[in-house]
Amino acid sequence: MSAVSDRLPTFPWDKLEPYKATAAAHPGGIVDLSVGTPVDPVPELIQKALVAAADSPGYPTVWGTVELRDAITNWLERRLGARDVTHHHILPIVGSKELVAWLPTQLGLGPGDRVAFPRLAYPTYEVGARLARAEHVAYDDPTSLDPAGLGLLWLNSPSNPTGRVLSKAELTRTVAWAREHGVLLFSDECYLELGWDADPVSVLHPDVNGGSYEGIVAVHSLSKRSNLAGYRAAFLAGDPAVLGPLLQIRKHGGMMTSAPTQAAVVAALGDDAHVHEQRARYAARRAALGEALRAHGFRIEHSEASLYLWATRGESCWTTVAHLADLGILVAPGDFYGPAGDHHVRVAFTATDERVAAAVERLAGA
């Protein structure tokens, strides 16, 4: 086991524990804006669907129920503008992090292969490459990469941590480049329904992919849009030639979404009202925290989508983390997402209204 764990970097969140203790010692309690976990209730219609399916003694299938596949295909066409999506274009997964971490291994990548991801990125992209013993490379422009040996190209729009959104033109150019060089492209779009100053576009849109899903797969999650992080509910959509073999591998591995969760996803994808209600909550928190941070001397960059503000005071991210911890506010240091983030912090606006108000008050009074 140590041989596997030795391939991995130190779990980044462990480094934050001393600052968490400092923030927790604040007389008004900690305001945790670090991880970005949903805190608002799971919508009632989703809870009811879960409960109604609670009597599920048999094994679920990896590919999911017909109802689940129908719900996903309908959502892809209604919300993303995808066209001609069949059940063979989709694959349910057990939360998106599991997929990111194990995808290179399931694709058969290993020594001599390379996995590429953005310069500032979710650290699990690198973890997935390490688990497979593949090389990893960070990029600023994916089309500037050497395609030789490039087994997997990750896009992430809207970005975690920066909230940057890739334009339709950027996506189209990258999809064309990947196809030209035979590079498999996976697009992590888990924050796509949380655009604020931009309207994110999926690689599944025909304006981006020319009406073909060849060589491209999108990753989607219900954790953020529907407050279902605790349900581990996500799915893939795209090239059947990629998803078909993945389905077979995941059958052998028993990587199946629970039956009650599948029923809950059907309810969640069939309802847009709860998504609009949650967006309104996040919009108010985003506005309040953004104004307070700017008044406190921060500059906010990108952040046009997602659940985070990418902020800097022009100093080491750990100096900023310590400063905010003294105010009882915990944020994520930017270098968790790569060395290029060493002067930024990621501020999540997923805390309750009461905790966000406390943070705003503390920033104003400091």
Side-chain angles (χ1 to χ4, degrees), residues 62-78:
V62 174
W63 202 17
T65 63
V66 171
E67 292 78 12
L68 174 62
R69 284 178 261 147
D70 282 343
I72 294 173
T73 56
N74 290 339
W75 181 85
L76 290 167
E77 295 192 350
R78 184 183 82 249

Side-chain angles (χ1 to χ4, degrees), residues 48-363:
K48 287 181 175 179
L50 185 84
V51 171
D55 185 15
S56 297
Y59 289 112
T61 65
V62 174
W63 202 17
T65 63
V66 171
E67 292 78 12
L68 174 62
R69 284 178 261 147
D70 282 343
I72 294 173
T73 56
N74 290 339
W75 181 85
L76 290 167
E77 295 192 350
R78 184 183 82 249
R79 180 62 187 87
L80 303 189
R83 294 291 178 266
D84 302 319
V85 183
T86 72
H87 288 191
H88 294 284
H89 290 92
I90 60 171
L91 179 60
I93 54 177
V94 191
S96 58
K97 184 170 185 175
E98 167 264 307
L99 183 280
V100 172
W102 292 107
L103 179 62
T105 299
Q106 291 175 9
L107 291 174
L109 302 183
D113 296 312
R114 293 184 300 139
V115 175
F117 45 80
R119 182 81 56 194
L120 284 164
Y122 185 47
T124 312
Y125 301 132
E126 179 182 334
V127 167
R130 288 176 176 268
L131 285 171
R133 297 182 185 269
E135 299 175 26
H136 55 87
V137 56
Y139 64 77
D140 294 308
D141 176 0
T143 65
S144 67
L145 291 165
D146 179 356
L150 187 57
L152 174 61
L153 170 62
W154 279 108
L155 300 185
N156 180 209
S157 176
S159 163
N160 175 15
T162 69
R164 179 176 176 236
V165 172
L166 296 176
S167 69
K168 185 181 291 185
E170 289 176 294
L171 290 172
T172 302
R173 178 171 61 90
T174 303
V175 167
W177 178 88
R179 284 175 172 165
E180 178 186 353
H181 296 286
V183 174
L184 177 60
L185 186 154
F186 266 66
S187 179
D188 183 344
E189 303 176 351
C190 290
Y191 295 91
L192 188 136
E193 290 198 279
L194 293 161
W196 310 110
D197 302 325
D199 188 12
V201 179
S202 172
V203 295
L204 301 178
H205 195 286
D207 288 353
V208 172
N209 61 42
S212 167
Y213 301 114
E214 180 186 357
I216 58 172
V217 177
V219 184
H220 284 272
S221 167
L222 285 85
S223 293
K224 314 301 184 183
R225 68 173 311 266
S226 298
N227 298 338
L228 295 189
Y231 284 45
R232 311 314 301 135
F235 58 89
L236 304 179
D239 191 344
V242 177
L243 298 185
L246 282 178
L247 172 59
Q248 297 306 316
I249 292 166
R250 295 172 69 82
K251 282 181 178 179
H252 283 291
M255 293 175 162
M256 57 190 80
T257 305
S258 76
T261 296
Q262 291 187 33
V265 171
V266 172
L269 292 179
D271 178 73
D272 293 331
H274 77 276
V275 179
H276 297 316
E277 292 171 6
Q278 189 60 45
R279 275 182 56 87
R281 295 186 189 105
Y282 285 142
R285 294 166 186 167
R286 176 179 182 267
L289 280 171
E291 182 179 350
L293 287 167
R294 291 185 183 96
H296 196 73
F298 281 89
R299 184 176 73 254
I300 295 174
E301 299 178 354
H302 300 302
S303 306
E304 58 257 31
S306 82
L307 292 177
Y308 314 106
L309 295 171
W310 187 240
T312 181
R313 299 203 307 173
E315 63 190 6
S316 163
C317 59
W318 288 100
T319 301
T320 306
V321 167
H323 167 71
L324 292 175
D326 287 339
L327 300 179
I329 302 169
L330 188 68
V331 299
D335 66 3
F336 276 10
Y337 308 94
D342 63 359
H343 278 62
H344 291 74
V345 293
R346 194 195 73 171
V347 185
F349 42 89
T350 54
T352 63
D353 291 343
E354 183 274 332
R355 288 289 81 188
V356 168
V360 169
E361 182 179 356
R362 293 174 195 182
L363 289 166

